[in-house]
Amino acid sequence: MRVIDNLKAIPAMQKYRYFLIALSSIAFLGPLAFLPQLVGNDDLCGVLCMRRFYLYFPGMSWDDLFMHITVAWIGVIAFCLILLTTFFFGRIWCGYLCPVGGLAELGSRMLNDRWKIEFRSLPQVQIRYSYLAAYIVLMPALGISACTLCNFITIPRLIEALSGEYRGIVYILSTVGLVNLGLLFLLGFFASKGRAYCQFLCPIGAADGLVNKLGSKFRWARRIRVEKERCTGCNICARNCMCGAIKMVNRVPVVEQTSCMSCHECVDVCAWNAIEWTTGPRDKQPRKIKRGVEIFPEPSWQLLSEPDMLENNVVPARIHWGRLVNGLIFSSVIGYIAYYSLLM
């Protein structure tokens, strides 16, 4: 009964999001994987790969880039469609459709919080784009394959291994497979909300975040926006944000658009309707006002930045012990990955 009650308590928008993730997982992963099979694939590699064509190899020419695009042409089209959708509507692929990040999130949400590691307070933007630069330039220069730390391989192979397929078992028991499996558990299933891999190591998510930030400059683009006059400073939106994209500044939520996944969870938990996935404010005042009729102003939905909300741009100095501990854990994980990657 408790499980049923917990399921009933899930907001309608989140049920819809989980349903889409489940459908996407069935379509792209596992024994069915019927979408890859339409182009002769049984996984998200080869012609469907969205993670390799933009890497820079030493001595690479424009002809080489064109060849990489030609090899993975469906992945290139899918990548461009993801970014185009993000520009207008927010990160729909990452938050609603990605079967890899979505499965890790669903697995994490089914575990008790006492077993989870809190990564959301780490400096995500710095870590994410430092790794992206290393992924695009440094790793190819060192001869480290883009497939080495790829969850788009790990999760399909894990499903294969669980179903008894030889290829999946061999991969999971290999050095690369064990490292990736450790990452999946540490940054996925045992990470708070299950999205640490998405936030730190996914190159598609990193590019998607940049486009999300760019699109937020236009008021007609849908983004998670704040009506600060309604906000009570309760902090519930920041506590529930699965990406750690919301920071309370002077008791008002500020949304970091490079991290936000437009998942709508902050909207669902706000009882004051102070945060919404919407376009920017529009001047809808009528040209003529009928006598005796009161005209209420439209909510001023805004994309607030941290400097806008700080008085004299001064932040009180304090030690964040949770961030310090998480930073040590994360640094250890990256060191472990780098060590084994360079051995291969």
Side-chain angles (χ1 to χ4, degrees):
M1 289 298 295
R2 187 175 181 180
V3 174
I4 295 175
D5 291 338
N6 289 339
L7 290 174
K8 289 181 178 179
I10 298 174
M13 189 65 177
Q14 297 309 308
K15 290 178 182 176
Y16 174 70
R17 193 168 70 85
Y18 299 155
F19 176 71
L20 289 180
I21 290 173
L23 282 183
S24 180
S25 300
I26 293 172
F28 285 103
L29 305 173
L32 295 180
F34 65 86
L35 286 182
Q37 290 175 15
L38 293 177
V39 293
N41 270 35
D42 56 359
D43 54 26
L44 297 171
C45 300
V47 69
L48 297 176
C49 179
M50 296 186 285
R51 300 169 58 109
R52 192 179 186 279
F53 68 90
Y54 41 78
L55 301 184
Y56 179 77
F57 296 88
M60 184 175 177
S61 66
W62 288 108
D63 289 337
D64 296 326
L65 176 61
F66 180 74
M67 181 193 68
H68 292 163
I69 292 174
T70 303
V71 169
W73 66 275
I74 296 180
V76 174
I77 293 174
F79 184 75
C80 293
L81 288 176
I82 288 170
L83 299 186
L84 184 64
T85 303
T86 296
F87 184 82
F88 290 100
F89 302 106
R91 296 176 65 183
I92 303 301
W93 166 259
C94 292
Y96 293 77
L97 296 174
C98 178
V100 177
L103 273 183
E105 181 194 341
L106 293 180
S108 173
R109 289 182 183 268
M110 287 189 288
L111 295 176
N112 192 297
D113 286 344
R114 73 180 66 179
W115 301 105
K116 299 175 189 175
I117 303 170
E118 182 56 76
F119 289 96
R120 291 177 295 169
S121 59
L122 289 174
Q124 296 184 25
V125 174
Q126 294 89 332
I127 294 173
R128 182 188 311 128
Y129 294 106
S130 295
Y131 177 76
L132 180 65
Y135 176 82
I136 292 177
V137 179
L138 182 59
M139 288 175 62
L142 294 175
I144 301 174
S145 171
C147 304
T148 303
L149 302 179
C150 182
N151 260 12
F152 278 60
I153 293 178
T154 305
I155 289 185
R157 296 295 180 270
L158 176 61
I159 294 174
E160 290 176 357
L162 293 175
S163 62
E165 291 190 30
Y166 178 76
R167 182 176 65 170
I169 295 173
V170 170
Y171 176 82
I172 292 301
L173 294 179
S174 68
T175 303
V176 174
L178 290 173
V179 170
N180 278 288
L181 194 62
L183 280 176
L184 174 62
F185 278 86
L186 191 62
L187 301 181
F189 299 140
F190 288 103
S192 181
K193 307 291 187 178
R195 290 286 186 160
Y197 183 94
C198 303
Q199 291 299 92
F200 296 126
L201 300 183
C202 181
I204 300 173
D208 207 34
L210 291 175
V211 174
N212 197 56
K213 181 75 170 180
L214 176 63
S216 69
K217 305 296 183 183
F218 302 91
R219 68 180 188 179
W220 37 260
R222 283 191 173 272
R223 293 296 184 273
I224 296 295
R225 301 174 188 265
V226 175
E227 169 53 278
K228 62 181 180 179
E229 299 302 324
R230 295 180 179 180
C231 182
T232 63
C234 68
N235 196 39
I236 191 171
C237 57
R239 293 200 309 268
N240 282 273
C241 177
M242 72 176 184
C243 303
I246 301 177
K247 180 188 295 184
M248 299 300 293
V249 181
N250 288 346
R251 294 178 58 82
V252 175
V254 173
V255 182
E256 173 53 65
Q257 294 296 326
T258 54
S259 298
C260 175
M261 285 194 186
S262 311
C263 71
H264 209 267
E265 190 165 6
C266 55
V267 179
D268 292 331
V269 299
C270 181
W272 301 92
N273 192 29
I275 192 164
E276 183 62 84
W277 179 59
T278 184
T279 57
R282 302 172 299 278
D283 184 9
K284 296 179 68 176
Q285 292 290 339
R287 288 175 294 176
K288 293 183 179 181
I289 300 176
K290 186 177 180 180
R291 184 178 299 175
V293 175
E294 187 175 2
I295 303 297
F296 294 96
E298 183 185 7
S300 180
W301 299 108
Q302 300 176 53
L303 286 169
L304 303 175
S305 63
E306 190 170 342
D308 292 336
M309 299 306 301
L310 290 172
E311 296 178 2
N312 300 322
N313 292 339
V314 176
V315 182
R318 57 179 177 174
I319 298 175
H320 295 277
W321 293 105
R323 295 184 184 183
L324 180 61
V325 172
N326 284 334
L328 291 173
I329 294 173
F330 192 81
S331 300
S332 301
V333 172
I334 295 301
Y336 177 79
I337 295 166
Y339 174 75
Y340 276 100
S341 296
L342 292 174
L343 287 179
M344 292 180 287

